[in-house]
Amino acid sequence: MRASAYKVSMRSPEDVSEAALLLDQQTFRAEDVIAILGKTEGNGGVNDYTRGLATLCFQLLLARRAGLPVEQVARRIPIIWSGGTEGLMSPHATIFVREPDRGAPPGEKRFAVGAAYTRDLLPEEFGTRVHAEVAADGVRAAITDAGIEAAADLHFVQIKTGALTTERIAAARVRGRDVVTTDTGKSMAYGRAAAAVGIGLATGEIALARAADVILKDLAVASDVASTSSGVELMNCEVIVLGNARGSTSELVMAHTVMRDALDAPAVREALRRAGLRVECELDQRDRPRLVNVFVKCEPDLSGATRGRRHVMFEDSDVGYTRHIRAAVNAVVAAVTGDPMCYVSAGAEHQGPPGGGVVAVLARV
Amino acid sequence: MRASAYKVSMRSPEDVSEAALLLDQQTFRAEDVIAILGKTEGNGGVNDYTRGLATLCFQLLLARRAGLPVEQVARRIPIIWSGGTEGLMSPHATIFVREPDRGAPPGEKRFAVGAAYTRDLLPEEFGTRVHAEVAADGVRAAITDAGIEAAADLHFVQIKTGALTTERIAAARVRGRDVVTTDTGKSMAYGRAAAAVGIGLATGEIALARAADVILKDLAVASDVASTSSGVELMNCEVIVLGNARGSTSELVMAHTVMRDALDAPAVREALRRAGLRVECELDQRDRPRLVNVFVKCEPDLSGATRGRRHVMFEDSDVGYTRHIRAAVNAVVAAVTGDPMCYVSAGAEHQGPPGGGVVAVLARV
Amino acid sequence: MRASAYKVSMRSPEDVSEAALLLDQQTFRAEDVIAILGKTEGNGGVNDYTRGLATLCFQLLLARRAGLPVEQVARRIPIIWSGGTEGLMSPHATIFVREPDRGAPPGEKRFAVGAAYTRDLLPEEFGTRVHAEVAADGVRAAITDAGIEAAADLHFVQIKTGALTTERIAAARVRGRDVVTTDTGKSMAYGRAAAAVGIGLATGEIALARAADVILKDLAVASDVASTSSGVELMNCEVIVLGNARGSTSELVMAHTVMRDALDAPAVREALRRAGLRVECELDQRDRPRLVNVFVKCEPDLSGATRGRRHVMFEDSDVGYTRHIRAAVNAVVAAVTGDPMCYVSAGAEHQGPPGGGVVAVLARV
Amino acid sequence: MRASAYKVSMRSPEDVSEAALLLDQQTFRAEDVIAILGKTEGNGGVNDYTRGLATLCFQLLLARRAGLPVEQVARRIPIIWSGGTEGLMSPHATIFVREPDRGAPPGEKRFAVGAAYTRDLLPEEFGTRVHAEVAADGVRAAITDAGIEAAADLHFVQIKTGALTTERIAAARVRGRDVVTTDTGKSMAYGRAAAAVGIGLATGEIALARAADVILKDLAVASDVASTSSGVELMNCEVIVLGNARGSTSELVMAHTVMRDALDAPAVREALRRAGLRVECELDQRDRPRLVNVFVKCEPDLSGATRGRRHVMFEDSDVGYTRHIRAAVNAVVAAVTGDPMCYVSAGAEHQGPPGGGVVAVLARV
């Protein structure tokens, strides 16, 4: 199997023109698209409908080009958006494609990608251990789909899950069931947390016995390859797994490390180097064309201070903290790579060390 | 004259406790404070009252400690705040102090600081050539006050000026006079622009003949040491000039360069080096205690793209573009210095190259 | 011709389920839909993509049900959204339908609806006299389409027009052309203003000789039946005309008056009465089922005060003034009708008296 | 005792000029001010510093005019602000004054006002039963201070209490103590709820046995005269009690009822009538000078719908729900009274019926 990836810019959430052009040019076929992961320019919050709009537009494009009904595309290809392109961050999608091999595997591990869907969660299951276990099953299915053999070859596991809305909360109550929170904004954190714990269950980083106790409680329990986001537009888990596999004939390779905090530029450099790119203070000009994308999770330091300096992110009633931190971390990454069009998603509960998160690099060999 | 500077953190806009402690410890005397420049945690917009609150609290502190009426402090000591501490930026004040010499000048130029006030502008003068000329007179007075001899020794010239409000616009109309804009948010840009052109007039970077034509029209005309901000709480110009002077016996030294765009981390490194600090990719750990503060102006790239990648800052009707860019540039600076408590102010019209701005460093020798 | 209208609630911008149900029940046919006018829950600003999402979803629904390609629906049926459902306002669409007559006209004028499209404006034409004239041509076409014979029978003329974006401004500049404003938010006001002046040209309320001079300059020049909104998703004018016509066999009737300011509840009562509904302080309980919808334009009092009391809407850098005023005026209307699901759109430049706007009522006879 | 009240407009949070003018004119004496209750133009959220600024400016004014140290004024006169003047709401303060009698009581009950302070709450007590009991003690003290004899004579009981901040939460944790929530925004709701339950304890509307169980749990348990708000600037309860008393020689009188939901204009009319004012659909023009102020608490309908129509207030990640609902309810009240300068505060947990709240009227006899 030959996995590849194409980063396309978007002039608005409905702009699929760059992807359409690649299809026109037969760079890849619509039938071979396995997943899409991107950033849209909404607020990243409960009422961020840019995600749904971008999903629908990409589904319509792929359906038309593959000659399939939209519904079938929607059931087969996870299209996951993290909302919020604050600061310099540039809206874009990374389109993952799997094609037949064009030769034998090169002997070294190369890029592999897999995807899976889970069942819908009930509002009362949302954010609980059940949610984590459902997510874990999805991750295992996606690992199998990717042909990845060992947990050490996983470099970035993305789950998009749902969120509670006023209507869903009311629906649970009508049935006499309770929900983990009645705050719709807070429910997004529960969704991210449960899915991340699910990733840790699947990778072996988190023990099943702990799953019930830790969700949003013990944030030191984490998966270092997890990236989860949540949005009202769904209630299941959509999973995309990125890593390397022995059988892959891809011309790409994946690597990762974790940022210890929001200012951890050395970790960004290290991840680039692990992917085989030359870096001094910045990514070497000669290797910039080799970089496909950087995928990062982040969050404000929970203590209210970064390196001992107070931040105001948790006190701001006008602008949500996820908006603040995305702007900052995108800038730290882009100052190293020279490219503000990278994937930085906020809300890193159980995803890497508290105050930090995974930084994964996809590069041409 | 011996100029010094103290950076104090603030837990809220009214928190002057760290400054009070320094006064308690006789680190400096209230009578010797010449100016204060800081960042408060408001939105940085028209209705950002954190600036006024912080000003009042510092005035009350200094008045009490110096045994002076508050009104006298308010007339003598410019206290300038740039609102908006997005992302990791940490609210703080830099207190500038001038004391009698404790010895002879060291032979090399050292840090010097001066201040001045101008008259109030009329609403109809606001944002025009008259505004620029009034600002220029203020800058010249502050340069003289600082004892700085040459334009080359200026490294950061800060002006705080006013903004139009619905009431001020109405007042001008009652008198049959027009204003440059009826958009109160936009008037902040006019104020910053006119003040920056005024700085350029005073430094010789901008010719008087051009002053009328360029304001918010030809943004390539700029001063590379200018930093201006605006707020409804005043209608004059308050000026603080930072540089080096032969006669200074300060233990500090000032340097600057310009960031070409928001990602110009090499410029941050260069400014640190010019101030005598050791830097590899990041500020050397050994020299971190020597850094007093970094002062930066920034703005989104006016083309709508940074390094060819679209940004959304001008399209966001929820969060103003100054909030976005401050979060990003503060992170770029802090990733180099390790300290997110630095002064980053947005709205760099006529202040450095379009899309960039001055980066000035104040350090211990 | 028999015009009718159906108000459907929306649980999100992509929720067309209530409309789908009406189609399932054969309440009306997709082929007979002539226009849709609604409120979506975005910010109503430049980056409000809820409008585009709702449009796409309704287009897909109608295309599927009518067996037409989406492109053809998009060219034939104006679907206009005003973004922003602040306060109690409830997201919804009013679907306008035209069917063959089922009998002779009743002798009194009844509800009629017409629609039209104009050509795309160039960025440099946007907000100018050209824009107004293009809009006027569109309104005349829609009046003809509706079969409305006299200007006195017009009760609500809706135009959706475009807005400038950073890209469009840049495109004009590349061609060496200027635009009316480089502030994307401000361009929305220019779009609304030019379209409203165009309506006034078509109704005879505004003389052609004045069109060039008044746009955003003399706001006393206005059309009392105009309602215009703007959004980045288009660059032409889409026109919907609502009124009464002698030839109509509709079971509905239309009426309007103008609110003099945001608190003008008596005007709301008067408009309801003109449409034949019984009102004391509130709409009589018995007549509530007869109300189809209320359509209102509003804006903050430009003086900065309502009835002599200062408002803060123009000073708020966190929340745009259109968001503030929509919440207030929707509440005033809903307190009279008992129904917060009504159409209240802000930005009433040249639409009714300054600080006020049209209030139109569509009711069952 | 002769209680009076003066409503003064504010051009900004630091504007005390109208109050200063009344002092200049000897309308009342600074020494006789017993409490101030007002609306400032912040966001009403965690980082709303307009409240602190207005408090400081009024304290400085009163201290100067009474010849007292600021600290003494701060300990003696509760100055309570509800942040957020959305929509048409006009920033203002109501200054409550108590002077010696100028004659015998008139035989009918007249306006009386009292005030009290409680001790500071610990972060771990915040939002708990302890908080409610501390608040109740404060209310009882204020009732005694006012000379009000029966619970039936209470018409509006205002408590301002604190909120948790990231620092306070951390402080509790350092001591090994837990807090009711780590979400600073949510803590404002807990503060309002605990204080409201405290009011209910003091009035007898809520039984002590229930206090621990109901806070933010059973919202049907409520006090119909409670109005509470919270802000980071304090950690105790400041109490102002408004009602009528037999011994009062005031020329004012107080009355109240409850709004059942946000559109309950009939309740506004009823409260005005109970205070002796003539009302048809709107307050009679002749009685408008007799109205001093209207005091209202409100909240979005918790079901997510008002009168069966979905609202979006709980889904909006850009604008907090308290901002939405204040704009709406202020408009409903102002449409009846003709005056948008009234006190409307949001967050009505345990304050009147769910989705509604108290509406109290202070009027000249």
Side-chain angles (χ1 to χ4, degrees), chain B residues 15-34:
Chain B
D15 176 32
V16 298
S17 61
E18 199 168 315
L21 186 65
L22 291 175
L23 290 167
D24 289 345
Q25 298 170 336
Q26 298 184 295
T27 306
F28 60 86
R29 301 191 319 152
E31 294 84 340
D32 294 332
V33 172
I34 180 169

Side-chain angles (χ1 to χ4, degrees), chain B residues 49, chain C residues 310, chain D residues 10-16 41 54 91:
Chain B
Y49 296 105
Chain C
R310 183 172 81 96
Chain D
M10 296 167 69
R11 288 197 300 267
S12 74
E14 62 260 78
D15 176 32
V16 298
E41 56 201 284

